[in-house]
């Protein structure tokens, strides 16, 4: 595990790169190019921080509105790459009139089970807190909401 002293130049660079990916919609190669071609060093450092953040369950606290949709990857040979359709869960909760719109998680596949298993893994407290679940018209997502979020109001997301 990478250990960085707080406030160090490395810490600031890693935080900047993650902000570029999370909030500025940068590609993974964008921050590396801006770091004068030191992409591999940056990727290694950022990867370690992102792995640690992925294990931090506090990102699920306070989620009241949950969005779900898949993303279809069309890069490379599908026979040799991983899943082409990861399912993404997004916090759509409002605070002071603004939607959080932050990615909570990605899981491989596009199915009822992919979503239902993810919801089950968050625990009873998380599921009880969800008041609204936005989804695309895929029946598997609706079935998972019916199974795991029975008290939430299911709505069609704004993009469909």
């Amino acid at each position: 595990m990478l250990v960085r002293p707080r406030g160090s130049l490395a810490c600031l660079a890693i935080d900047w790169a993650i902000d570029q990916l999370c909030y500025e919609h940068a590609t993974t190669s964008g921050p590396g190019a801006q770091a004068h071609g030191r992409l591999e060093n940056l990727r290694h450092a950022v990867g370690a921080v992102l792995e640690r953040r992925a294990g931090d369950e506090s990102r699920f606290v306070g989620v009241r509105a949950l969005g779900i949709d898949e993303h279809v990857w069309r890069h490379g040979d599908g026979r040799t790459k991983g899943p082409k359709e990861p399912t993404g869960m997004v916090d759509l909760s409002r605070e002071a009139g603004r939607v959080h719109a932050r990615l909570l998680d990605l899981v491989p596949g596009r199915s009822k089970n992919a979503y239902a298993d993810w919801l089950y893994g968050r625990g009873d407290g998380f599921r009880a807190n969800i008041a609204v679940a936005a989804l695309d018209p895929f029946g598997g997502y609706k079935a998972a909401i019916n199974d795991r979020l029975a008290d939430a109001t299911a709505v069609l997301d704004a993009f469909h």
Side-chain angles (χ1 to χ4, degrees):
M1 181 162 133
L2 182 67
V3 177
R4 303 171 292 140
R6 282 215 161 291
S8 70
L9 186 57
C11 181
L12 293 173
I14 291 167
D15 289 342
W16 167 81
I18 291 172
D19 285 347
Q20 292 297 301
L21 297 172
C22 295
Y23 305 113
E24 301 300 328
H25 311 293
T27 65
T28 54
S29 60
Q34 293 179 47
H36 304 293
R38 292 175 176 76
L39 179 60
E40 286 308 313
N41 292 340
L42 186 61
R43 185 176 292 155
H44 176 72
V46 167
V49 172
L50 290 177
E51 283 181 30
R52 188 179 71 244
R53 285 186 183 184
D56 181 5
E57 296 287 315
S58 69
R59 71 184 183 277
F60 302 119
V61 173
V63 177
R64 303 261 315 128
L66 184 63
I68 180 166
D69 205 353
E70 81 285 343
H71 179 82
V72 179
W73 295 98
R74 297 282 186 221
H75 311 289
D77 184 349
R79 297 170 294 180
T80 59
K81 304 278 182 180
K84 290 183 184 178
E85 295 179 329
T87 295
M89 282 60 74
V90 178
D91 179 6
L92 298 176
S93 305
R94 289 185 176 271
E95 188 173 303
R98 296 187 64 201
V99 176
H100 285 191
R102 63 189 174 99
L103 181 65
L104 295 170
D105 222 341
L106 282 173
V107 296
R110 178 186 192 238
S111 68
K112 171 190 173 187
N113 288 342
Y115 190 29
D117 291 349
W118 183 86
L119 288 167
Y120 181 76
R122 302 292 63 80
D124 293 337
F126 175 83
R127 291 190 307 274
N129 201 39
I130 303 299
V132 176
L135 67 150
D136 75 5
F138 174 56
Y141 294 156
K142 178 65 169 121
I145 290 170
N146 290 345
D147 286 353
R148 303 283 189 214
L149 298 174
D151 294 333
T153 301
V155 298
L156 192 60
D157 73 35
F159 301 107
H160 291 89

